[in-house]
Amino acid sequence: MGIDRSMLDEIGISNIEELFSDVPIGVRVDGLNLPNGLSEMEVVERIQSMLGSNLTTDDCPCFCGGGVYHHFIPSAVKTIISRSEFYTSYTPYQAEISQGILQALFEYQSFIAALTGMDAVNSSNYDGATALGEAATMCHRLNGKRKFLVPEAMSWEKKSVLRNYAWGPGIEIVEYAFDTSTGELSAEDLRSKMSEEISGVYIEVPNFLGVIDSQIASIREDIKDAALVVGVNPISLGILKPPGEYGADIVIGEGQVLGSPMNLGGPLLGIFATRQEHVRKMPGRVIGLTKDVEGERAFCMTLQTREQHIRRSKATSNICTNEALMAVAAATYLALVGRDGLRKIAEVNIGKARSLMKSVGELDGFVSPVFTGYHFNEFVMKPPIEPEGLNKHLLRKSIIGGLPLDKHVPRLGGHMLLATTEVHRREDHERFLRALAEVS
Amino acid sequence: MYRQARYDRKMIFEKEGETDFAMPIQEELSDAVPKTMIRDRLEIPSLPEREVVKHYTNLSQMNFGVDNGFYPLGSCTMKYNPKYADTVSSLPAVANIHPYQAEDSIQGALQLMYELEKALCEIGGVEAVTLQPAAGAHGEFTGMLLAKAFFAHKGENRTEVVIPDTAHGTNPASAAMAGFNVTEVPSSATGCVDLDALQSAVSENTAAFMITNPNTLGIFEEDVQRIAEIVHGAGALLYYDGANLNAVMGWTNPGKMDFDIVHFNLHKTFATPHGGGGPGAGPVGVKKHIEPFLPVPRIVRKNGRFGLDYDRPDSIGKVRPFFGNFAVLVRAYSYILRMGGDGLKEASEKAVLSSNYMKEKLKGVFDLPFKDLRKHEFVISTKKLKEQKDVRALDVAKRLLDYGLHAPTIYFPSLVEEALMIEPTETETKETMDQYVDVLKKIADENPMLIRSAPHNTSARRIDEVYAAKEAILSWRSFKKKENERGDRPSEEDKGECTLCRSIVGDMDSLKKRIGRSVD
């Protein structure tokens, strides 16, 4: 540390103050009122001991989902995203020296294209919720209309983010109900909300209640000319029909499940895909396939005339820094598990949820599953006591409980959303069920 | 001589093998999903781990990061990313916690965020900070929503945001996304905000004026107090784009300069890695009068415990789910602890010294528009090279790559012709900067054909961006579709189709013949 005097001397400056002579006296401050710096050893020790009080999934099985999930991550994912050639680079403005990240991101786009059945994918949004916000504004760009339909059963956080993205362009958010018996969308209610004014319709597969809707494949008939936006859990696409096959215009989703840890909910990975004919209206950085002067295959950022640094206030989005490294993690994850592995993981998730929801339902006082539809890896149950109280009880047993639904879907007050994935062993389920039984 | 790795350009989709991934045995489900929703096929590869690791390791070797070498990309603050941050951000106590866990089970995480907010308050001279925004532009968008909420609450309908023409592109884009009409004001002859133009641009319709100080030319806006008077005089808010905060820590701060709202780029100023494009983090700081509108939850401390306060009736709600890019926040806080108050101030001083050092060394060779004294970055013009040798800033940038040096930001800000925007940061040695200066001087004297045909030593040669935009192939699926439409293989004309490429290849062949050796 310290200032290199020889640099000052060489440019004929006598002291550092001279370099700040342009900062008016009236706005100066006298240094920073922060503690002195620590050694590396002390920093690591300090952070470790501060965070030591966090309860982690290493100690407690976690039955909470609601947008972020505890999945198994093959070790090689971390190996790849720890390559500092990747993680210490920035947005590949100089394509020739950045072919590695460009190809990795193009492959991410290609994996998501294959999963979703769409042709055009961007190299990431911040997360699934902001991707939804950008999808709503893109629908408005596509058809000029200003009403956007969303499910009533959706995370309140996602609704709040969406409202903020919709505020600027003045897009009205309208909710359609769910079927209280199946947990699927209420087709009747959706149809009654449809009109010439609807810009886009958002559906989630699986939905917030964990249900895989059986009517989705024919949804296009109900929504006519409105844009169809589908929110996916990409792991479920190992077994589920790609939204491109049932008429999606835009597919978004939360990609954290593809090789990123939960990290208290960040960084996440916003998936954003669309049909080829809409590419010039889409937000975000996109990587294109091209060639260099020798005719060799190469990659570069493309369609930049949509973007903020060229188009400024007329840009399709303000996004600049995105979640590129999480996209590389997703590509690596998908390459490692492969086509059969992804289907298998999806099946294991379905199987685990099916067995757990049944077992919970067998406990006295518990209703589970509350909905009769097909489920992916989450389901709604109604415990005999308040969900908050149940979670406190579970925490005492070193179990991270589920998500109380009152705040998200007010008419499901008293209900809880539970998630289970391939990481849960039979013993974890048994331990969980024993703890539940204590309140029944 | 620098030479970047070159492997075959095969996509992972073209590789073959047997997967070795396995899941514990589980009974088969005959009816896993509704019949209408079953997938027919999934076209992704199936490879052993060994092949996947080789593929992506090879790709990483065809990439250039700060760890590889000097990366003076202006406005991006590509400082060295210390490795203790890797250690602390990947602790299980960071990675393996769920955002909906009970407050009692994440006290450590809440404490870290609480302390980081307090540190950013001191550094930014603000009274409250939200860590929620995921990136700088996301922070700007949040700031614009806060301005909107602030005026809505006051019952004022202000529809315009004013921005100088040197602003980062994200500023006007973020303001427009929040629904504001954007007015750009031209800079004065000194490269700074034109006070008269600003005075006539602001009115009772103006919600905010967004600037970065020092500005994108690296010049400190000395009239910042007058700017604040004009903006506040019109009843508008002053917004600070924190992209250039690395220039002034400990010397001044946005709060002291009378800004109302400010965003921080943790991936710039606080040394978190840029991740090949992200993740970053863009916390937003505000003065007291804006605090009620900040996103929920607010992290609060009560009786020695940390909690989450959602009961904020005037809040704008959420700008993203949960709390922000937590793993990035952990990195940034560890950096702040390591540096301490004095260390951060010294970082700014060294960043400014580095920039002025390089500027002095280069100003005889290239034009330096506007005044001499710069902060953490400076912008030179290669206009003379264009006039004398038909060599453009883009060509100089590409030629730098041949020496294993990353290019500066080019063609920005647009009021400088043939701009090279150089930001060395505080973490580079004099030797590294001297080498960069020497190479730039050498390039200025090189054969123009050699420069125009650069780069030669990178994994790919000069890239055809026009073709990429025309074809808009954004996935392997889309590539295969196009291939099928054209028949089994791409036509012969397709190779070197663009005339620009042909002429460059032609140039190179004749150059090689003339000088009788390889040009690298």
Side-chain angles (χ1 to χ4, degrees):
Chain A
M1 304 292 265
I3 302 292
D4 186 344
R5 283 283 341 163
S6 67
M7 276 162 64
L8 284 171
D9 295 343
E10 270 195 55
I11 60 171
I13 297 247
S14 53
N15 54 48
I16 285 289
E17 286 68 31
E18 260 183 67
L19 292 173
F20 288 86
S21 58
D22 50 0
V23 179
I25 301 293
V27 301
R28 288 198 192 180
V29 294
D30 184 20
L32 292 166
N33 183 21
L34 291 174
N36 292 332
L38 303 174
S39 65
E40 170 174 350
M41 198 168 78
E42 291 166 305
V43 169
V44 173
E45 193 278 326
R46 172 89 194 276
I47 302 256
Q48 254 169 345
S49 73
M50 185 187 298
L51 296 179
S53 62
N54 288 346
L55 214 54
T56 74
T57 52
D58 297 3
D59 317 312
C60 324
C62 170
F63 293 91
C64 196
V68 170
Y69 303 87
H70 181 203
H71 282 287
F72 173 74
I73 303 173
S75 304
V77 173
K78 189 164 180 199
T79 304
I80 296 305
I81 63 165
S82 300
R83 295 289 307 189
S84 72
E85 298 92 331
F86 281 147
Y87 85 75
T88 70
S89 67
Y90 191 34
T91 305
Y93 295 112
Q94 296 296 337
E96 294 85 353
I97 205 165
S98 312
Q99 285 298 296
I101 192 89
L102 283 161
Q103 184 173 337
L105 291 172
F106 184 85
E107 290 182 356
Y108 160 77
Q109 293 175 185
S110 301
F111 273 113
I112 299 299
L115 283 176
T116 58
M118 309 301 275
D119 290 315
V121 181
N122 77 12
S123 68
S124 70
N125 276 60
Y126 307 132
D127 55 71
T130 56
L132 172 60
E134 298 255 24
T137 54
M138 180 169 154
C139 288
H140 169 60
R141 284 196 295 279
L142 286 174
N143 54 32
K145 298 175 184 177
R146 281 201 165 83
K147 240 184 204 182
F148 192 72
L149 283 183
V150 302
E152 172 199 359
M154 188 162 93
S155 143
W156 78 267
E157 305 211 27
K158 205 182 263 182
K159 282 186 194 170
S160 180
V161 172
L162 173 62
R163 271 196 298 275
N164 274 326
Y165 275 79
W167 194 8
I171 296 166
E172 187 190 344
I173 308 295
V174 180
E175 294 180 8
Y176 60 86
F178 59 91
D179 183 314
T180 49
S181 146
T182 61
E184 297 191 353
L185 64 82
S186 162
E188 195 187 338
D189 192 53
L190 176 62
R191 276 194 292 268
S192 77
K193 302 269 166 68
M194 289 307 303
S195 74
E196 284 296 308
E197 295 175 294
I198 303 294
S199 156
V201 176
Y202 177 59
I203 57 169
E204 290 186 338
V205 187
N207 67 23
F208 184 63
L209 308 173
V211 172
I212 301 166
D213 207 304
S214 61
Q215 328 157 67
I216 294 296
S218 55
I219 185 95
R220 233 4 307 171
E221 295 162 24
D222 290 328
I223 68 164
K224 311 218 166 55
D225 293 336
L228 176 61
V229 182
V230 181
V232 296
N233 175 333
I235 288 187
S236 74
L237 290 175
I239 192 163
L240 288 178
K241 188 178 277 224
E245 286 182 18
Y246 49 87
D249 292 287
I250 300 171
V251 180
I252 58 155
E254 180 46 68
Q256 172 266 329
V257 293
L258 303 175
S260 289
M262 298 188 291
N263 283 328
L264 194 67
L268 300 172
L269 169 63
I271 292 172
F272 200 105
T274 189
R275 308 166 79 85
Q276 189 71 23
E277 66 249 43
H278 302 327
V279 288
R280 279 159 222 277
K281 297 265 196 276
M282 79 188 296
R285 309 271 193 200
V286 293
I287 313 303
L289 182 70
T290 184
K291 56 198 175 187
D292 68 7
V293 288
E294 289 170 349
E296 293 282 344
R297 182 189 285 173
F299 305 88
C300 65
M301 290 200 290
T302 192
L303 305 180
Q304 294 190 59
T305 51
R306 302 164 299 113
E307 290 193 57
Q308 45 80 20
H309 59 287
I310 311 278
R311 191 58 62 86
R312 299 177 78 86
S313 64
K314 302 279 186 290
T316 56
S317 167
N318 67 340
I319 204 165
C320 179
T321 292
N322 54 21
E323 310 298 306
L325 197 66
M326 278 50 244
V328 176
T332 312
Y333 174 88
L334 288 167
L336 287 165
V337 304
R339 100 189 125 239
D340 299 331
L342 193 69
R343 197 188 60 236
K344 189 80 200 161
I345 296 167
E347 278 176 356
V348 170
N349 275 260
I350 291 168
K352 297 255 180 205
R354 206 172 273 187
S355 121
L356 186 64
M357 72 176 84
K358 185 163 165 282
S359 307
V360 172
E362 286 162 4
L363 299 173
D364 276 351
F366 284 82
V367 182
S368 171
V370 168
F371 300 110
T372 58
Y374 283 84
H375 289 77
F376 184 56
N377 61 4
E378 278 181 300
F379 60 94
V380 176
M381 63 94 158
K382 191 168 191 310
I385 63 170
E386 276 303 298
E388 295 285 354
L390 177 60
N391 274 345
K392 280 198 180 113
H393 166 75
L394 291 169
L395 202 56
R396 281 195 294 272
K397 303 277 165 186
S398 293
I399 292 169
I400 297 162
L403 182 65
L405 285 175
D406 50 345
K407 200 168 175 184
H408 301 271
V409 191
R411 62 172 165 145
L412 290 178
H415 289 69
M416 180 184 262
L417 185 66
L418 289 178
T420 182
T421 72
E422 73 284 352
V423 298
H424 290 149
R425 299 159 303 165
R426 186 188 297 268
E427 304 90 275
D428 297 320
H429 279 191
E430 285 166 358
R431 189 171 141 203
F432 180 55
L433 290 164
R434 275 198 305 276
L436 289 182
E438 288 167 8
V439 304
S440 67
Chain B
M1 174 49 78
Y2 175 75
R3 196 178 282 273
Q4 197 177 23
R6 272 190 184 206
Y7 295 99
D8 70 46
R9 315 287 172 93
K10 261 194 185 174
M11 299 271 299
I12 193 129
F13 290 78
E14 296 169 281
K15 303 203 168 172
E16 314 227 335
E18 252 330 278
T19 183
D20 49 11
F21 179 79
M23 275 271 112
I25 307 294
Q26 160 103 8
E27 56 191 299
E28 293 274 318
L29 296 170
S30 56
D31 64 334
V33 301
K35 283 196 187 61
T36 52
M37 289 298 283
I38 294 175
R39 174 169 210 125
D40 295 332
R41 61 180 198 285
L42 174 59
E43 288 174 342
I44 67 173
S46 193
L47 295 166
E49 177 177 325
R50 195 268 170 283
E51 289 304 310
V52 175
V53 169
K54 185 171 70 180
H55 178 77
Y56 287 110
T57 301
N58 288 351
L59 286 187
S60 76
Q61 290 175 316
M62 296 199 284
N63 212 53
F64 187 93
V66 172
D67 281 6
N68 295 82
F70 194 22
Y71 208 129
L73 190 66
S75 250
C76 299
T77 315
M78 301 300 289
K79 60 171 82 172
Y80 174 69
N81 314 123
K83 302 307 168 195
Y84 53 79
D86 294 4
T87 302
V88 294
S89 67
S90 56
L91 291 169
V94 174
N96 299 337
I97 49 178
H98 192 283
Y100 284 133
Q101 276 181 229
E103 289 167 15
D104 278 350
S105 72
I106 50 168
Q107 283 295 304
L110 297 178
Q111 180 182 352
L112 188 142
M113 290 192 285
Y114 185 86
E115 290 184 9
L116 175 58
E117 285 185 0
K118 291 287 167 279
L120 291 175
C121 281
E122 169 64 19
I123 295 163
V126 288
E127 284 154 308
V129 164
T130 174
L131 302 172
Q132 209 170 100
H138 200 212
E140 293 170 13
F141 177 59
T142 305
M144 289 298 99
L145 294 175
L146 292 171
K148 213 172 158 81
F150 173 75
F151 288 114
H153 189 77
K154 283 175 72 169
E156 292 180 33
N157 183 28
R158 292 176 177 252
T159 54
E160 279 170 19
V161 166
V162 181
I163 292 171
D165 60 357
T166 53
H168 297 116
T170 48
N171 291 181
S174 301
M177 265 174 73
F180 291 109
N181 298 319
V182 175
T183 311
E184 294 208 3
V185 288
S187 300
S188 71
T190 61
C192 291
V193 172
D194 183 327
L195 296 179
D196 293 333
L198 176 64
Q199 184 73 67
S200 50
V202 296
S203 70
E204 71 283 356
N205 286 324
T206 309
F209 180 54
M210 297 178 92
I211 53 168
T212 179
N213 193 18
N215 66 23
T216 56
L217 293 163
I219 297 175
F220 194 86
E221 299 274 357
E222 291 191 50
D223 291 323
V224 64
Q225 290 158 296
R226 186 70 197 110
I227 291 170
E229 279 168 26
I230 293 171
V231 172
H232 289 146
L237 298 171
L238 195 55
Y239 183 94
Y240 185 86
D241 171 347
N244 296 346
L245 186 66
N246 204 45
V248 297
M249 284 186 291
W251 276 89
T252 179
N253 64 49
K256 188 79 181 175
M257 291 186 266
D258 225 5
F259 284 83
D260 303 281
I261 308 175
V262 41
H263 84 256
F264 304 84
N265 298 74
L266 300 191
H267 46 291
K268 296 180 182 177
T269 320
F270 301 99
T272 76
H274 284 67
V284 169
V286 297
K287 291 280 181 61
K288 208 81 197 161
H289 52 289
I290 311 292
E291 189 182 2
F293 308 100
L294 285 177
V296 285
R298 304 287 306 133
I299 299 164
V300 291
R301 182 174 198 168
K302 234 190 230 165
N303 308 326
R305 301 292 286 170
F306 297 91
L308 298 168
D309 180 10
Y310 286 92
D311 187 19
R312 315 270 301 180
D314 294 326
S315 164
I316 59 168
K318 305 287 296 180
V319 293
R320 59 152 280 162
F322 319 120
F323 314 103
N325 280 344
F326 180 64
V328 177
L329 304 178
V330 173
R331 286 175 178 274
Y333 191 52
S334 68
Y335 175 78
I336 290 172
L337 289 177
R338 174 84 177 92
M339 300 297 280
D342 291 346
L344 290 174
K345 185 178 184 196
E346 191 178 292
S348 283
E349 290 170 349
K350 288 168 80 173
V352 171
L353 174 58
S354 297
S355 157
N356 280 285
Y357 176 78
M358 284 189 76
K359 171 216 67 186
E360 281 301 312
K361 296 266 159 170
L362 285 168
K363 84 178 178 191
V365 191
F366 302 98
D367 291 333
L368 176 79
F370 310 112
K371 75 182 219 184
D372 241 26
L373 181 58
R374 297 299 163 106
K375 291 274 87 52
H376 66 305
E377 66 190 5
F378 61 99
V379 180
I380 51 176
S381 166
T382 59
K383 198 172 96 185
K384 263 192 273 171
L385 277 182
K386 186 181 167 197
E387 289 161 2
Q388 291 163 4
K389 304 166 102 174
D390 195 23
V391 165
R392 306 209 45 201
L394 176 75
D395 303 316
V396 174
K398 298 300 179 197
R399 185 62 184 147
L400 276 163
L401 308 181
D402 278 337
Y403 292 88
L405 299 166
H406 201 279
T409 294
I410 51 175
Y411 301 112
F412 183 78
S414 56
L415 81 164
V416 176
E417 268 181 79
E418 300 298 314
L420 295 185
M421 182 195 222
I422 300 176
E423 181 181 9
T425 82
E426 71 278 12
T427 56
E428 300 302 327
T429 61
K430 178 168 175 290
E431 188 190 357
T432 300
M433 291 187 278
D434 285 341
Q435 186 211 357
Y436 203 81
V437 167
D438 289 346
V439 167
L440 269 172
K441 287 180 179 167
K442 190 174 161 201
I443 291 172
D445 287 332
E446 279 180 335
N447 183 321
M449 247 191 277
L450 182 65
I451 311 171
R452 281 199 300 270
S453 58
H456 308 277
N457 302 338
T458 45
S459 305
R461 296 285 311 280
R462 186 79 66 104
I463 283 185
D464 190 347
E465 296 190 3
V466 177
Y467 180 83
K470 196 182 98 201
E471 297 289 316
I473 299 170
L474 307 185
S475 65
W476 184 244
R477 177 187 151 94
S478 160
F479 172 76
K480 296 304 277 184
K481 270 191 190 171
K482 291 215 176 190
E483 208 179 44
N484 289 339
E485 282 164 20
R486 282 180 202 156
D488 279 334
R489 63 183 69 150
S491 65
E492 272 309 303
E493 302 107 83
D494 221 32
K495 272 203 158 184
E497 172 181 56
C498 128
T499 47
L500 170 74
C501 313
R502 278 222 183 100
S503 70
I504 290 174
V505 172
D507 262 10
M508 280 309 300
D509 289 345
S510 68
L511 179 69
K512 276 180 196 166
K513 267 179 215 144
R514 220 148 33 82
I515 59 181
R517 62 179 171 82
S518 137
V519 287
D520 31 63

